[in-house]
Amino acid sequence: MTYETILTEQKGRVLLITLNRPKALNALNTQLSHELIDALTKADDDDGVGCIVITGSQKAFAAGADIKEMQNQSYMDMHGTDFFGQWDKVATLRKPTIAAVSGYALGGGCELAMMCDFILCSDSARFGQPEIKLGVMPGMGGSQRLTRLIGQAKAMEMCFTGRMMDAEEAERAGLVSRVIPADDLLDEALKTADTIANMALPALMSIRDAIRRTQEMPLTEGVRFERRVFHALFATDDQKEGMAAFVEKREPQFTHK
Ligand code: CO8
């Protein structure tokens, strides 16, 4: 598949995906959705990829779903085609995924960032769920993920008013893991992704699975699940290598098996 709305670049074991509809501030239309999900699915299946970074431009990570595309749709156009239902795939990827956000991350753009495992943002980032101003509501998981990440009070206020949250507030609220000067964001995101991508992949995938389950499981079940997966990691080559390297006082050479 040839991509027209995204750019992909492999850097070592990191796949960088850049949303690339600059004239529309990277608004998420059907073509971009198909292309992004295709690239993510392939990366998830590719043994040579250990971590994925999704980014946009300095001005916008993504300014939401494409309003011009949605404007004249009927209920059955949306419901009958399960419009944007394919985005669920992003949250079910198994490889670690980082959103590197500069500028606007609004509506579906904020929701896409929240589907990633964590968000690094620049000091220019602006997050918001402004759908209410269009007479609609978040439709790509925003009401659920934003509330889990920043709590009901802030999520309700943001979704009711459509106001934007700046980078400092987003970090304070727990929406992003770190704020980085705009010029350094991509380098720092790639450096972080490279560190992650060179860790033991079986352990990374298990950690991701366990942390994501905190949203779905009661504590006792989650703790039991974690212990089972911890036991299972003793069937991997990387566990043998990681522990041998520690004992032999050298750096581990993981094979991601
Ligand atoms: N959709 C389509 N086009 C857009 C969008 C968008 N979301 N955002 C910006 N654009 C376009 C503008 O129309 C404009 O195009 P043109 O030059 O042809 O007029 C171009 O991008 C530049 O935008 P502006 O001139 O508006 O730039 P400003 O710097 O003045 O403003 C803003 C930037 C504040 C980001 C402004 O563009 C804005 O408010 N955009 C809309 C933000 C928004 O409301 N987002 C939510 C969209 S709804 C949504 O995401 C729902 C997701 C769930 C769907 C799930 C379905 C199941």
Side-chain angles (χ1 to χ4, degrees), residues 25 31 34 60-61 66 91 98 113 129 164 168 203 208 213 218 224-225 235 242 256:
L25 302 185
Q31 183 183 4
H34 286 318
F61 176 74
D66 192 314
I98 304 171
Q129 297 289 159
M164 292 186 214
E168 190 196 328
R208 183 178 198 274
R213 277 170 199 253
R224 197 167 298 143
F225 174 80
H256 311 293

Side-chain angles (χ1 to χ4, degrees), residues 30-52:
T30 304
Q31 183 183 4
L32 187 148
S33 309
H34 286 318
E35 292 181 4
L36 179 60
I37 289 160
D38 184 74
L40 288 169
T41 306
K42 286 183 177 139
D44 211 37
D45 293 339
D46 182 346
D47 289 343
V49 175
C51 189
I52 301 160

Side-chain angles (χ1 to χ4, degrees), residues 23-25 27 59 63-68 70 83-84 104 106-108 111 130-131 134 139-140 164:
K23 288 188 185 139
L25 302 185
K59 176 150 185 192
D66 192 314
I67 299 166
K68 292 167 190 166
M70 291 185 295
F83 189 78
F84 275 19
Y104 298 112
L106 303 177
E111 292 171 300
E131 291 89 347
L134 302 167
M140 285 166 55
M164 292 186 214

